[in-house]
Amino acid sequence: MAYDNILVETKGGVGIITLDRPEALNALNSALIADVGQALDGFEADENIGCIILTGSAKAFAAGADITEMAPKSYMDVYREDFITANWERVSQCRKPIIAAVAGFALGGGCEMAMMCDFIIAADNAKFGQPEINLGIIPGAGGTQRLTRFVGKSKAMEMVLTGHMMTAEDAERAGLVSRVVALDDLMEETLAAAEKICKLSQPMVMIAKECVNRAYETTLAEGVRFERRMFHSTFSTEDKAEGMAAFLEKRTAQFKHR
Ligand code: CAA
């Protein structure tokens, strides 16, 4: 399938989506978001895909929602079309693991889309920010909520209230990104992480993802109860039997994803 605003490829069990609107620093317009949604649908339906990577260019992961597209919209326009909720949240609803490989600008909706992924590997030139306040609006794709949970109130407030950008190094220190790598190594390092995930039991990876995400949505006691139920349920799977047998027999597990 051909897309106008993204490039889609697979490498083994890894599905790669590259945002591709270089003329607008990958600004996220509705056509691009629809493309991302379709590509994710395809990867989720393909049982050979075990992990997804979302990336952009060396200059920009994405410089935010498309300001040209948003400028003429009224309150009633965005309310009636349920702008953001209707389509952007597809990324946060992805059941398979999805890694953001971020180089350059990840601003506004770009930062928010990266935060919808499961973890972020950043190139050393990455810059994260929520500059919406400069446009007379506020973040609208989860920036005030996810950023605050990831980096804490003080850093989130400074970024959201002033538009201050965080360097890759600061983002790693603050816990926004899992690690920082050299720009030239970004895809290689991200692919290595994705390939590692692909070798594991796909349903276990999906259950583990669901449990970690639950931590952001519930109390500690409820979250631990949820985890315990899910942990118990993993004992009913063929992959649990294979994983433990392989360990005891000192061989590599051959997971069947069942
Ligand atoms: N929307 C539309 N076009 C954008 C864009 C955006 N978010 N960001 C950049 N572009 C376009 C520029 O208009 C420019 O186009 P032209 O060449 O046709 O003039 C092209 O991309 C290159 O950008 P610059 O010339 O500005 O490049 P730069 O290197 O000088 O600056 C930048 C880079 C600091 C990222 C700057 O482009 C910028 O500040 N962009 C806007 C960032 C922003 O405000 N993002 C938040 C958007 S609102 C949002 O995301 C809401 C939400 O929460 C969902």
Side-chain angles (χ1 to χ4, degrees):
M1 167 137 194
Y3 296 95
D4 291 334
N5 304 286
I6 59 174
L7 304 171
V8 176
E9 61 186 310
T10 57
K11 285 199 174 149
V14 184
I16 304 171
I17 301 174
T18 305
L19 307 179
D20 188 34
R21 287 190 74 210
E23 71 285 0
L25 300 182
N26 294 334
L28 304 162
N29 64 8
S30 48
L32 181 149
I33 294 291
D35 283 355
V36 170
Q38 271 194 16
L40 288 178
D41 289 347
F43 285 150
E44 294 239 68
D46 183 346
E47 62 179 29
N48 297 313
I49 296 297
C51 189
I52 299 162
I53 296 174
L54 184 60
T55 192
S57 69
K59 175 148 191 212
F61 176 74
D66 191 305
I67 300 167
T68 314
E69 194 179 68
M70 283 187 297
K73 285 186 193 286
S74 67
Y75 167 75
M76 207 34 77
D77 293 332
V78 292
Y79 179 75
R80 287 181 73 98
E81 74 184 59
D82 203 7
F83 182 45
I84 304 294
T85 318
N87 43 18
W88 289 54
E89 289 292 349
R90 178 68 188 84
V91 179
S92 63
Q93 288 156 1
C94 188
R95 295 179 74 213
K96 288 187 179 173
I98 174 163
I99 309 172
V102 173
F105 295 111
L107 302 180
C111 185
E112 291 166 310
M113 188 176 269
M115 289 190 290
M116 287 181 195
C117 298
D118 297 323
F119 60 96
I120 302 172
I121 298 182
D124 48 15
N125 75 337
K127 284 201 160 152
F128 298 86
Q130 297 290 161
E132 289 89 342
I133 202 80
N134 296 320
L135 300 169
I137 57 170
I138 67 164
T144 64
Q145 303 305 299
R146 291 195 179 95
L147 186 66
T148 308
R149 280 166 168 78
F150 297 161
V151 307
K153 178 180 167 185
S154 196
K155 285 182 191 296
M157 279 289 192
E158 186 177 5
M159 289 170 76
V160 170
L161 300 190
T162 72
H164 168 73
M165 286 188 215
M166 217 181 231
T167 62
E169 200 182 316
D170 288 344
E172 183 180 23
R173 205 175 301 129
L176 178 58
V177 310
S178 65
R179 61 200 156 95
V180 179
V181 300
L183 174 59
D184 286 347
D185 300 335
L186 179 64
M187 277 320 283
E188 198 182 316
E189 292 277 349
T190 311
L191 261 170
E195 280 159 1
K196 206 178 269 186
I197 291 171
C198 286
K199 291 200 180 98
L200 303 170
S201 162
Q202 205 181 99
M204 294 314 119
V205 166
M206 289 166 70
I207 290 169
K209 164 173 174 160
E210 205 179 339
C211 287
V212 175
N213 279 335
R214 190 55 72 101
Y216 286 96
E217 288 163 7
T218 191
T219 62
L220 179 62
E222 267 313 309
V224 170
R225 251 194 297 275
F226 180 75
E227 180 203 74
R228 201 62 31 85
R229 291 278 82 81
M230 299 307 274
F231 169 69
H232 289 162
S233 77
T234 63
F235 280 58
S236 68
T237 64
E238 290 178 34
D239 285 346
K240 175 261 178 187
E242 166 62 9
M244 293 200 180
F247 177 82
L248 295 173
E249 292 160 18
K250 303 193 188 302
R251 60 176 174 80
T252 305
Q254 300 295 325
F255 292 117
K256 292 193 190 134
H257 311 296
R258 304 193 69 81

